[in-house]
Amino acid sequence: HRDKKRDKEKIKEKEKTKEKERDRDKEKERNWDRDKEKERERDKERNRDKDKEKDQEREKEWHKDRVRDKDRDRDRDKDREKNKEKEKEKEKDREEVDQNKEKDDVTKEGEKDREKIKDKEGDKDRGEKEKDKEKEKDEKKEKKEREREKERDDKKKKEKRSRTPPRSYSSSRRSRSSSR
């Protein structure tokens, strides 16, 4: 009878130890799962941080590109302006050369006219000759000046005309059809 009792106790002891071991294993498994979950969370956080850094880097690059593009456009505009200025200077120089030529031509013509007048009017006294010469000279100068102003005005009109963009074909057809 005692043996039976002892055997029962032993069996109970064994079951208890088995139970404890099972509990320990379960606890270990829970801990392991918890650690794994924590590790996953840390990884996610790390990845989020990396993504943020990448986004910031991309943003910086985009901004740099944009600034570079703006600088390039500004430089291009400056170059265009410089070229326009150079063209204007060249045009002014050409006009100046033309005006100087005209002045030289006028003075040469004046000298020729003076010589002709001297030949023709050898009889007139000098006072009258000088007055006539001056009158003719003044008249020719005025005439040349008027011609030059007219040419300048014509050039300006041409420039203005060339600056206005040509009307499109369809709009000119529209206006013609509406006027009919």
Side-chain angles (χ1 to χ4, degrees):
H1 192 75
R2 273 190 203 148
D3 280 350
K4 269 187 177 180
K5 205 173 184 183
R6 206 180 300 130
D7 281 348
K8 272 186 176 180
E9 280 181 15
K10 274 185 177 178
I11 288 174
K12 273 188 176 180
E13 273 301 310
K14 276 184 178 176
E15 281 181 1
K16 272 186 178 179
T17 30
K18 276 185 179 178
E19 186 70 30
K20 279 183 179 178
E21 209 164 284
R22 253 186 260 129
D23 284 349
R24 230 181 281 124
D25 284 348
K26 279 183 179 177
E27 185 65 30
K28 274 184 179 176
E29 199 172 302
R30 275 195 296 259
N31 286 340
W32 188 83
D33 284 347
R34 202 176 308 122
D35 288 347
K36 274 289 175 188
E37 188 62 34
K38 281 181 181 177
E39 187 65 31
R40 257 187 243 120
E41 282 300 316
R42 274 196 297 264
D43 284 350
K44 278 183 182 178
E45 192 64 36
R46 246 184 261 123
N47 286 337
R48 258 186 242 123
D49 291 346
K50 281 181 182 176
D51 286 348
K52 276 183 183 177
E53 285 177 18
K54 280 181 181 176
D55 286 348
Q56 286 176 346
E57 202 61 38
R58 259 189 242 118
E59 188 73 26
K60 280 181 185 175
E61 282 299 315
W62 181 81
H63 187 70
K64 279 181 185 175
D65 289 347
R66 190 145 176 195
V67 167
R68 197 179 313 119
D69 289 347
K70 281 183 180 178
D71 288 347
R72 194 180 321 118
D73 289 346
R74 193 180 326 109
D75 290 346
R76 199 178 304 132
D77 289 345
K78 280 182 183 176
D79 289 346
R80 234 181 259 134
E81 285 298 316
K82 283 181 185 174
N83 287 340
K84 281 183 182 178
E85 290 294 321
K86 284 180 184 176
E87 285 299 318
K88 284 181 182 177
E89 286 295 319
K90 284 181 184 176
E91 188 62 32
K92 280 184 183 177
D93 290 347
R94 279 189 220 119
E95 284 180 14
E96 213 171 280
V97 167
D98 290 347
Q99 286 176 354
N100 289 339
K101 250 187 192 176
E102 288 174 11
K103 284 180 185 175
D104 290 345
D105 292 347
V106 168
T107 53
K108 284 178 185 174
E109 284 178 28
E111 288 173 14
K112 286 178 186 176
D113 289 343
R114 267 187 245 123
E115 287 173 17
K116 285 180 185 176
I117 291 169
K118 278 183 187 175
D119 292 345
K120 286 180 184 176
E121 300 176 346
D123 303 344
K124 287 187 177 179
D125 71 272
R126 287 185 182 172
E128 286 180 34
K129 284 182 185 178
E130 287 176 11
K131 285 180 186 176
D132 288 344
K133 286 179 192 175
E134 286 178 13
K135 278 185 182 179
E136 285 183 38
K137 205 178 192 183
D138 290 343
E139 287 172 3
K140 284 186 179 181
K141 278 186 182 177
E142 286 177 9
K143 190 176 180 182
K144 286 288 180 181
E145 193 62 37
R146 274 189 244 117
E147 286 177 5
R148 265 191 245 123
E149 284 180 14
K150 188 178 179 190
E151 285 177 9
R152 270 191 232 120
D153 289 347
D154 288 350
K155 276 186 183 178
K156 285 181 183 174
K157 284 180 184 175
K158 278 184 184 177
E159 283 179 14
K160 278 186 181 177
R161 249 184 267 129
S162 67
R163 276 191 230 129
T164 57
R167 297 221 318 253
S168 69
Y169 176 72
S170 61
S171 67
S172 63
R173 285 187 72 199
R174 253 187 262 121
S175 65
R176 267 192 263 127
S177 65
S178 64
S179 65
R180 285 184 203 151

